[in-house]
Amino acid sequence: MVTVVLFLGLAVALINPSVAGVADNRIDRFSSQNDGSCELPDALLAEIRGYQPIVNKIIDKIVNGEFAGRTWDGLAELVDTFGARVAGGEQLEKAIDYAVQKMQADGLENVHTENATVPHWVRGYESAELVKPLRKSLPLLGLGSSIGTPRGGIIAEVLAVESFKEFEAIPAEQVRGKIVVFSPAWESYGRTVVYRSQGASVASRKGAVAALVRSVTPFSIGSPHTGQQHYQDDVKKIPVACITVEDAQMLLRKYRRGERMEIHLEMEDRPMEPVVSRNTIGELVGTTFTNTSVVVVSGHLDSWDVGVGAMDDGGGALISWKALAYLKAMGLRPRRTIRAILWTGEEEGLYGGAAYKEAHKAQEAKEFNFFFESDIGTFEPRGLDFVGNADAECIFREIVKLMSPLNATEFETPTDGGPDISHWTTRGFPGASLLNKNEKYFWFHHSAGDTMAVEDPKNLDKCVALWAAAAYVVADLSVSMPKDIHP
Amino acid sequence: MVTVVLFLGLAVALINPSVAGVADNRIDRFSSQNDGSCELPDALLAEIRGYQPIVNKIIDKIVNGEFAGRTWDGLAELVDTFGARVAGGEQLEKAIDYAVQKMQADGLENVHTENATVPHWVRGYESAELVKPLRKSLPLLGLGSSIGTPRGGIIAEVLAVESFKEFEAIPAEQVRGKIVVFSPAWESYGRTVVYRSQGASVASRKGAVAALVRSVTPFSIGSPHTGQQHYQDDVKKIPVACITVEDAQMLLRKYRRGERMEIHLEMEDRPMEPVVSRNTIGELVGTTFTNTSVVVVSGHLDSWDVGVGAMDDGGGALISWKALAYLKAMGLRPRRTIRAILWTGEEEGLYGGAAYKEAHKAQEAKEFNFFFESDIGTFEPRGLDFVGNADAECIFREIVKLMSPLNATEFETPTDGGPDISHWTTRGFPGASLLNKNEKYFWFHHSAGDTMAVEDPKNLDKCVALWAAAAYVVADLSVSMPKDIHP
């Protein structure tokens, strides 16, 4: 149960959201219930509801007006020009330079970059072929941080299992010297991705010479998917890659029929020294609170090195940047600053967010009001996924209701789609992630299928409209979003 | 309007389908309307409806009984053991030997092969890379019959168009020396495939050095699709390949933005001398008409050299073969012979069917009663797609109604899914193709996605049940299927 603390002065101010100069941090508590039911003060409720006309205007201008289609065009130009933007690579840095220049041209303020050290891992020539009992090419993608094979590759017998549990029961002497194939059934990304992230370590512990993992997707048209993996500290590093769903299933069937199989695996992949990349930042400076209580809207600009990262996460980056551009062009400037951050080095482990957190740590409690992140697709928006305390939740539930013109009023909690902002949201800062109709997200994720073909112009318009409208309201409210920061 | 010719003796015989020894060819005309309405004689209607119990039994045994799941297992063993089975290749011939042996083990009769000369085209190393203004690998698949590039490949400027119409308007001097990219929007397979089959010839006529065509699919996850193409007689042969939908769209966008692009294309593909392959044949010999009035059930055993041809057309081949195996195991033997034919060399242009037609031409009018073919997927069956004269249609409409236990009573006409049997059906022989829920067929078609992951055990059971039941009824009917053969 959260206590009610409402100052009369504020309650009055709440009635008219256009009142400027309200002391932003005078309160951070008011009525709400832990069971999700809320008892917002009438004045605050009225204030939030009072934003409906401006929300409607923002949505209409972006979806039906002069901005319609521009976000898709902008994203297409970005990914067509620079292609994949992997951390440590030249294309990412060129894309950052381009984003800085284009953000300035779009009228964003205080456009700059902030350094972040990111891993640098390079995919070289990669090839896997089943050579016994028949020859069959096995399309593969080495996993981020994987070492390569010796030159010329390795040829080893195959041991295929469906699960870690099945693998546990196999004695090490049967594993030693073999290539272990993990062919887990898809359950969910969270449950299945452990085979990608841990497969090499699990296999290496029993003496395997390499691990090949079913791509982490529920559906495939013969495409392998990449992603990050982590060697546990005390295991010998072995090469690890994802193969297609189809080939993983085939190898498991053949193994279970008792067939003796050999694979020739060659990977020139190699980890390099970390390099300095940059988070890219632009703002719409607030009318009242210019250096405190910032509302962050964000997505990551880096991608994997396959496909072009239009979905993961070009879309998230673009809607964050374009939300500010369109608000500015519409002459809308909220009380608080809205800051677009295009993270770098997300794919390898949230490095951009981590660097930003460290650099802003001293003043973070004052500096940040709310964090938005879009990194689970920009398909048709459904609403917003929230994380934060019960008070903030009560306010945010009302804000989401304003998105009715987009038919995007779904509210979920807790968020699961904000990896970079988790640097803050796991410590009590409130935040939200874009809920969207992303049922097919993992079909394309980290694969050659992550391209503009996934993105729909109208849906992108709707996403940026929701993003702009929600960020505007949060940034303009007379109250800051409540938070309970913990270390 | 078709005239009514019904002999009393036959009408009596029709009442009891178990009466043997009916002179099979005594009639081939009876009442029907060209508008699709039918006036089948009561006796014939009663005869067909009398098959419902046996149809129910066949379906139940295959879908719910001892045969359930076996067709999927058999198909998996075939494609896992031999992989892709391209005409001219060793794996196809090994798969044919295997099919002969397994058909015999399944109790099929007169199992044998018949020779068919097929093209032999070999895919070599293939690579395409956008080298200006940025480097990006362009996954590709050379098209059947394409020539290769010179060793080391070619580097040429890109000219991208959406349609032949757009290309027509471009003067030859602007095309000369360029790589032409055709990026048509998907309309339907029939309308879009012309870019694959004719793109090289159209581009070459204006002096292009190569053609790259958007893969012929409505949906992609970054996979290229192959397929046959044809050089027109009077054009210079140039290398031609399909690239992914995503890359074709990207290249078109960049071209339309005025970007100058260069592609480095290398293809070692080469046409070889034709070789002798084999159609694979097995029978369930009829009780009454053993050498005439054969009912053919068929699919093709060959595939393209990518994926493993589980869908195109392992499924069609397997349901044809297994339909006979299960009928035999159930002790069901119709009056006419049912002959399973696993065609060879379909993909390159229906070569197996053509050879079979020629070899059987002298006696074809007597030899063949009806042709079934499954080559548009073995997803959940919907019914049957018919081609033939109005009399045959009337009978067949009633037969399809018997498939109600499978909820597969849809009847369509004319067929569009029987390429190999078109050698006969275009000349007046009646035939049918398997209608199934194949909305996603072209997602996987001729790509690495054509694998067992597309096939569902229960749906395959339903397909083979429909196939066995329909073939049994057609083969056992007291009347032959009417036909109007023309040259």
Side-chain angles (χ1 to χ4, degrees), chain A residues 121-127 140-143 146-149 151 266-272 305-306:
Chain A
W121 171 83
V122 174
R123 187 185 307 283
Y125 172 80
E126 295 177 332
S127 159
L140 80 166
L141 284 172
L143 300 182
S146 177
I147 63 163
T149 61
R151 199 165 183 80
E266 185 166 8
M267 293 167 60
E268 292 183 343
D269 304 355
R270 57 193 187 284
M272 317 275 280
D305 60 337
V306 289

Side-chain angles (χ1 to χ4, degrees), chain B residues 304-455:
Chain B
W304 276 107
D305 59 336
V306 289
V308 295
M311 178 191 81
D312 184 14
D313 180 33
L318 258 281
I319 66 169
S320 298
W321 148 11
K322 292 295 177 182
L324 271 62
Y326 303 153
L327 289 172
K328 172 93 181 248
M330 291 163 72
L332 291 170
R333 189 182 289 279
R335 295 183 209 185
R336 289 175 199 77
T337 294
I338 309 179
R339 181 180 297 165
I341 308 181
L342 316 188
W343 311 107
T344 193
E346 191 275 342
E347 293 294 0
E348 294 74 17
L350 321 181
Y351 286 86
Y356 197 82
K357 181 187 78 170
E358 284 311 304
H360 292 253
K361 196 149 198 177
Q363 70 279 25
E364 65 177 12
K366 273 193 146 178
E367 183 173 2
F368 301 116
N369 180 38
F370 198 84
F371 292 87
F372 286 94
E373 181 172 3
S374 167
D375 190 18
I376 46 168
T378 46
F379 299 87
E380 188 177 349
R382 295 198 288 120
L384 287 156
D385 200 10
F386 173 82
V387 61
N389 71 20
D391 291 328
E393 181 177 333
C394 281
I395 295 175
F396 206 71
R397 279 184 182 274
E398 285 303 318
I399 293 172
V400 174
K401 290 177 187 167
L402 299 171
M403 304 303 148
S404 55
L406 289 168
N407 196 22
T409 56
E410 287 182 57
F411 178 94
E412 289 183 11
T413 185
T415 184
D416 65 355
D420 267 304
I421 66 172
S422 70
H423 289 300
W424 294 270
T425 56
T426 55
R427 295 184 297 116
F429 287 87
S433 164
L434 181 68
L435 279 176
N436 64 102
K437 295 184 178 172
N438 60 0
E439 297 80 7
K440 294 183 181 167
Y441 183 79
F442 291 107
W443 295 21
F444 309 106
H445 182 246
H446 299 180
S447 84
D450 182 352
T451 67
M452 286 311 293
V454 177
E455 301 291 327

Side-chain angles (χ1 to χ4, degrees), chain A residues 36-369:
Chain A
S37 68
C38 291
E39 294 174 18
L40 285 185
D42 289 347
L44 183 53
L45 207 52
E47 180 190 345
I48 296 172
R49 289 176 183 167
Y51 282 101
Q52 191 69 61
I54 204 162
V55 163
N56 294 356
K57 181 184 156 194
I58 291 170
I59 290 171
D60 187 54
K61 276 270 202 182
I62 293 177
V63 174
N64 306 312
E66 61 189 287
F67 307 122
R70 282 208 206 162
T71 308
W72 195 95
D73 291 344
L75 182 56
E77 188 178 290
L78 172 76
V79 303
D80 289 350
T81 303
F82 301 100
R85 305 169 303 283
V86 71
E90 191 184 33
Q91 292 307 105
L92 173 58
E93 298 310 309
K94 285 184 181 172
I96 291 167
D97 292 341
Y98 166 94
V100 166
Q101 177 210 318
K102 288 281 184 179
M103 278 178 158
Q104 285 168 336
D106 276 350
L108 271 65
E109 298 149 3
N110 301 329
V111 177
H112 68 287
T113 61
E114 298 188 23
N115 287 351
T117 300
V118 297
H120 187 198
W121 171 83
V122 174
R123 187 185 307 283
Y125 172 80
E126 295 177 332
S127 159
E129 188 186 20
L130 183 66
V131 289
K132 281 185 186 168
L134 80 158
R135 297 186 83 93
K136 186 189 183 303
S137 164
L138 305 170
L140 80 166
L141 284 172
L143 300 182
S145 83
S146 177
I147 63 163
T149 61
R151 199 165 183 80
I154 55 175
I155 296 181
E157 196 178 333
V158 172
L159 186 153
V161 294
E162 188 170 355
S163 66
F164 284 155
K165 195 171 150 79
E166 187 183 344
F167 187 70
E168 256 173 41
I170 300 173
E173 58 265 33
Q174 284 180 36
V175 177
R176 205 161 298 132
K178 296 204 174 120
I179 293 174
V180 174
V181 172
F182 293 106
S183 183
W186 167 267
E187 292 184 72
S188 66
Y189 187 71
R191 293 182 67 88
T192 313
V193 75
V194 294
Y195 289 90
R196 188 191 80 203
S197 57
Q198 294 302 320
S201 295
V202 169
S204 176
R205 247 176 231 298
K206 288 190 175 177
V209 293
L212 296 175
V213 182
R214 177 194 142 129
S215 289
V216 186
T217 175
F219 179 78
S220 176
I221 309 181
S223 273
H225 297 234
T226 189
Q228 193 63 12
Q229 72 93 34
H230 306 281
Y231 293 115
Q232 290 165 13
D233 286 341
D234 55 342
V235 302
K236 183 175 180 226
K237 293 181 180 183
I238 59 173
V240 58
C242 274
I243 56 176
T244 68
V245 170
E246 293 92 332
D247 284 335
Q249 292 174 337
M250 178 268 290
L251 293 170
L252 182 62
R253 283 194 302 270
K254 288 175 83 74
Y255 186 79
R256 287 182 171 174
R257 284 190 204 112
E259 295 184 43
R260 191 179 176 285
M261 295 180 283
E262 287 181 12
I263 285 175
H264 177 204
L265 176 70
E266 185 166 8
M267 293 167 60
E268 292 183 343
D269 304 355
R270 57 193 187 284
M272 317 275 280
E273 288 303 304
V275 301
V276 176
S277 182
R278 296 162 289 166
N279 293 312
T280 309
I281 296 133
E283 294 183 340
L284 181 60
V285 175
T287 56
T288 310
F289 313 108
T290 53
N291 294 313
T292 62
S293 209
V294 169
V295 174
V296 171
V297 288
S298 66
H300 65 87
L301 193 57
D302 68 299
S303 73
W304 276 107
D305 60 337
V306 289
V308 295
M311 178 191 81
D312 183 14
D313 180 30
L318 258 281
I319 67 168
S320 298
W321 149 10
K322 292 296 177 182
L324 271 62
Y326 302 152
L327 288 172
K328 173 93 182 247
M330 292 163 70
L332 290 169
R333 189 181 289 277
R335 298 183 208 185
R336 290 175 198 78
T337 295
I338 310 180
R339 181 179 298 165
I341 307 181
L342 316 189
W343 310 108
T344 193
E346 191 275 345
E347 293 295 2
E348 295 74 16
L350 321 181
Y351 286 87
Y356 197 82
K357 181 187 78 172
E358 283 310 305
H360 292 252
K361 198 150 198 177
Q363 70 277 26
E364 65 178 11
K366 274 195 148 178
E367 182 172 4
F368 300 116
N369 180 38

